[in-house]
Amino acid sequence: MKKLIFSLMLGALFHSAWASNEVKVEVVAEGLSFPWSLQQLPAEQGGWLVTERGGRLLHIADDGSVNAIPLQLPELFVTGQSGLFEVTLAPDFETSRELLLSYACGSLSANTTCLARASLSASAPYETSEVKQIFAAHPLRKGAAHYGGRMTWLPDGTLLLTLGDGFDYREQAQNLNNHLGKVVRLQSDGSVAADNPFPDKAAGYIFSYGHRNSQGIVYDAARDVIWQHEHGPKGGDEINRLQAGKNYGWPIASYGIDYTGAMVTPYQDLPGVIQPMYQWTPSLAPSDMALYKGDLFAQWQGDLLVSHLAGKRVQRLRLNEGTWQVEQTIEVDNKARIRAVEVARDGAVWVATDAAEGKILRLSPTGSESRR
């Protein structure tokens, strides 16, 4: 058994080194304060929008210069895990100039995950206007943990927003009368999508439930599937195929245990609970997810890229006979915690490190030329 374990460890080390050697890492920008999300602007504007958890919205130009975009979010709450989360462009952004931003709002004794809409000026230096809160998850809760906050657009123009369980309120993830531990589906103006699966529960917003703290969600157009991942407790991080009206188990079914070592539940599977398509034990704390489409890494088409906080790496997973499998592990910045991952139009992969002196990095194949 010792020989087998040693062999597996050597294989993992060799695989990690091989992965890093074929990927070139360039520093695009540094000195950012806990960057949380990345959003590429249309080609005619150029550059990227980046959020910092402390509440700043930044524009990183093609030359790597960083400029703050004035932004005043209603009731922004910043402490612990709370703050500004993700920015996404409305599907009609090129004509409407609308952004959507997820963030924590309220106070330490009464806060929640909120969604705001804003308009971005047409040219740099950018400004925001018409900032308006359009959704607030209920109920308000105490503490500053487990907000979710990731978003993805569906082909019908509706938006999925992930919501955490609030950490101390985990049993509420099974309660359809609130938004804790749910994924909600809404219109771009914040109103409820009319055909959601529980129209008479929690104002009709719930799309799926039984989630712990989901910080990765993407719509896979080629497969017409929604992929989502979430943090387990100590073990049991999950990748799920998200479906309307389904129960994903937390906390009545889990592959993880509590941080104290106590059992959260004796069940890993229960009738009516959707099993994960992949699970990480021990936990790596998945923080974001992107679907690869591009030319630079041609062999990665259709693969998932998952960034990790505790795992301090990016993993590439491939769907094989209905199961996600890790194909590659990439350590991008001296084992830094990784908060965000996105695929650029040119096929390069951009990541953000989770640190007080955070960096934005660009990953491309070794030997390729930078085309920023």
Side-chain angles (χ1 to χ4, degrees), residues 202-226:
Y205 282 97
I206 296 172
F207 183 80
S208 61
Y209 66 107
H211 302 293
R212 187 171 180 267
N213 188 27
S214 176
Q215 293 186 348
I217 189 166
V218 295
Y219 173 69
D220 183 342
R223 301 182 180 102
D224 190 26
V225 169
I226 303 158

Side-chain angles (χ1 to χ4, degrees), residues 129-177:
S129 61
E130 302 177 74
V131 182
K132 180 183 179 182
Q133 187 183 111
I134 60 172
F135 173 80
H138 79 266
L140 300 177
R141 77 276 177 77
K142 295 181 181 179
H146 290 196
Y147 292 92
R150 292 292 183 191
M151 299 179 277
T152 194
W153 294 98
L154 299 181
D156 63 0
T158 60
L159 181 74
L160 294 178
L161 169 65
T162 70
L163 302 171
D165 67 349
F167 189 77
D168 290 326
Y169 305 86
R170 65 190 186 193
E171 293 81 7
Q172 296 304 313
Q174 291 291 317
N175 183 351
L176 291 175
N177 291 310

Side-chain angles (χ1 to χ4, degrees), residues 2 6 55 180 195 325 328 340:
K2 288 183 178 179
F6 183 66
L180 292 166
D195 56 346
Q325 298 178 347
Q328 187 171 357

Side-chain angles (χ1 to χ4, degrees), residues 39-43 45-49 59-62 126 345 350:
Q39 174 66 67
Q40 191 171 25
L41 286 168
Q45 273 96 49
W48 291 70
L49 298 179
H59 175 246
I60 298 183
D62 289 333
Y126 292 110
R345 277 185 299 273
W350 287 53

